[in-house]
Amino acid sequence: MPDRQASGTRQKLPSLTGLRFYAAALVFCFHTSLTKMVDPFADRGFADGYGLLFSKAGWAGVSFFFILSGFVLAWSARPGERLGPFYRRRLLKIFPNHVVTWAVTLLLFSSTVGGVAVWLPNLFLVHSWIPRLDTFVSVNQPSWSLCSELLFYLLFPLLWRWVKDFRSSRLWAWFAVTFAGLLVTQIVIDTAVPATPRLAEWPLSETQWWLAYNIPPLRLFEFVLGMLMARILREGRWTGLGIAPALGLTGLGYALALVVPWQYGLNVTLAVPLALLVTAVAAADVAGRPTGLRGRVMTLLGEVSFAFYLVHYLVLLAVQDLLDGRRFATPAALAVVAVSFVVAQLLGWLLYAAVERPVMRRWAGRPRKREDTPAAGPAAGTPQPVTQQA
């Protein structure tokens, strides 16, 4: 498939926005499967099955978002854009929603937050750089991933100057090298980092957990995989894999994540299938094929997904307090989960409508080209995303 827009704005990919909803829903389901969170199931056999089914859903959802960020930023990169507007848009995308949910967490759940050494790094999204469990997973716990997203945004202009110069014929080779880097990193963490003392929740040590999943630089592999897939698609190197086969491969990757040694189910088994899925959905948009993801409802749900992601954990904390250990028959317990999901969606929409969308419209501005002169600042080709959000 040739690049249809070698110059100018890239074609929008609304189906990827719709797909975001399902990734955020997976994270929600993962958190409802944790017995330390909402646990409304009186039938413990059903609870165990529910927990097993969604035990890797959170990892899959986050890995999807990291790959998607790289894909969308690379897809929408245009020559002649300025660094300032790029950074302004990306910071405005994440910080207002984060600050609001950070403040709500301190207001409603202060007893679970910890002291200033915990909540201050969290406010500035540097807490995932600190190798302490009570810090890198703190305050509004899903905010840990924003530390990685912030690093991605800061490094993207530099990474893009490197990735965009790869020869088209070598893109799949670079994809393989990047995935190999991810795999080797996990092997080194698994074999060379002390595995004791073990965490109560997961079968590895605190240091292993921090390195394997939370520290931002080691999540760059997934981000770069997304960047490479954007170039593969727009330069005609895509295999033509359809959405259904890509979904099948993702399902196989998820099944594999359930049976491989635990650490390798965090992102190794799903990184390649998710990258293929993102690209297959994007290719369908480029070709104008139906996806079931680009309608108004799905697009809105996708646009709200970031706000939903940040509020859903707070909703589950509130539900946990309301239940106070009570459990119900399976239909009623599933109803508790479903109502929690709907409430989180509504609050996510409220955060999106009252904070995220007005801030982006008021201050993000439209991409502007810089003057094409050596004295104008950064080198030509500094990218700026279009309206499709990562």
Side-chain angles (χ1 to χ4, degrees):
M1 182 189 305
D3 184 0
R4 296 185 176 186
Q5 297 174 334
S7 62
T9 302
R10 301 287 171 193
Q11 184 172 341
K12 292 183 181 181
L13 306 172
S15 294
L16 289 183
T17 300
L19 194 58
R20 290 165 56 96
F21 163 77
Y22 292 104
L26 285 176
V27 178
F28 173 90
C29 291
F30 166 73
H31 282 139
T32 61
S33 75
L34 300 177
T35 55
K36 68 176 183 178
M37 289 296 299
V38 177
D39 184 20
F41 300 102
D43 184 339
R44 302 318 295 164
F46 186 91
D48 291 343
Y50 183 90
L52 176 62
L53 176 63
F54 292 111
S55 61
K56 295 297 189 294
W59 322 142
V62 170
S63 191
F64 167 85
F65 282 122
F66 289 169
I67 292 167
L68 182 67
S69 290
F71 187 99
V72 170
L73 289 182
W75 179 264
S76 58
R78 300 187 302 171
E81 299 296 338
R82 303 181 60 171
L83 268 178
F86 170 79
Y87 284 132
R88 182 176 70 246
R89 283 186 61 84
R90 304 325 300 173
L91 293 177
L92 288 173
K93 177 65 179 176
I94 60 175
F95 267 102
N97 281 2
H98 164 62
V99 170
V100 170
T101 52
W102 175 89
V104 170
T105 307
L106 263 64
L107 179 65
L108 298 181
F109 305 104
S110 58
S111 62
T112 68
V113 168
V116 64
V118 172
W119 58 254
L120 188 60
N122 189 288
L123 173 62
F124 292 103
L125 294 180
V126 295
H127 56 293
S128 282
W129 295 84
I130 300 172
R132 289 178 51 90
L133 183 62
D134 64 353
T135 304
F136 63 74
V137 181
S138 62
V139 192
N140 182 22
Q141 291 191 15
S143 68
W144 75 266
S145 65
L146 301 188
C147 300
S148 294
E149 291 284 0
L150 184 59
L151 179 67
F152 301 162
Y153 299 157
L154 292 175
L155 292 184
F156 177 75
L158 294 175
L159 289 172
W160 182 240
R161 293 180 66 180
W162 175 53
V163 171
K164 72 181 179 64
D165 287 336
F166 290 161
R167 283 196 294 177
S168 180
S169 60
R170 297 287 185 90
L171 288 172
W172 280 109
W174 278 109
F175 183 89
V177 168
T178 303
F179 174 72
L182 171 63
L183 175 59
V184 169
T185 297
Q186 290 290 8
I187 291 173
V188 170
I189 295 169
D190 182 27
T191 58
V193 178
T196 56
R198 292 262 174 141
L199 293 171
E201 294 89 353
W202 317 121
L204 72 178
S205 68
E206 180 175 314
T207 303
Q208 285 181 315
W209 177 233
W210 177 60
L211 292 170
Y213 196 70
N214 290 277
I215 188 170
L218 298 187
R219 303 311 297 258
L220 281 166
F221 292 109
E222 291 144 286
F223 182 70
V224 173
L225 287 176
M227 294 174 64
L228 289 166
M229 292 310 297
R231 278 206 62 199
I232 285 170
L233 177 61
R234 78 187 199 188
E235 296 186 19
R237 297 288 173 172
W238 176 235
T239 63
L241 185 73
I243 294 176
L247 276 172
L249 290 173
T250 302
L252 288 175
Y254 190 85
L256 188 61
L258 296 176
V259 298
V260 297
W262 190 88
Q263 185 177 319
Y264 299 92
L266 295 174
N267 54 15
V268 169
T269 67
L270 276 162
V272 171
L274 287 171
L276 296 176
L277 178 61
V278 166
T279 313
V281 171
D285 271 352
V286 171
R289 296 192 298 269
T291 64
L293 295 167
R294 68 171 75 103
R296 293 181 62 184
V297 173
M298 286 307 307
T299 301
L300 176 60
L301 289 171
E303 289 173 346
V304 171
S305 63
F306 174 53
F308 166 80
Y309 175 80
L310 286 181
V311 304
H312 83 275
Y313 194 84
L314 304 183
V315 171
L316 294 180
L317 286 177
V319 171
Q320 182 184 47
D321 288 346
L322 288 173
L323 291 181
D324 194 25
R326 290 191 294 271
R327 291 171 176 165
F328 310 96
T330 300
L334 288 173
V336 169
V337 174
V339 169
S340 301
F341 183 80
V342 171
V343 170
Q345 284 289 346
L346 291 174
L347 291 177
W349 173 84
L350 181 61
L351 181 62
Y352 168 76
V355 178
E356 180 181 334
R357 185 171 59 183
V359 165
M360 294 299 290
R361 287 180 174 178
R362 175 64 179 85
W363 287 292
R366 293 185 177 183
R368 294 187 300 171
K369 292 185 178 181
R370 64 169 183 84
E371 295 295 327
D372 189 20
T373 63
T382 298
Q384 170 67 32
V386 292
T387 54
Q388 170 74 30
Q389 299 298 330

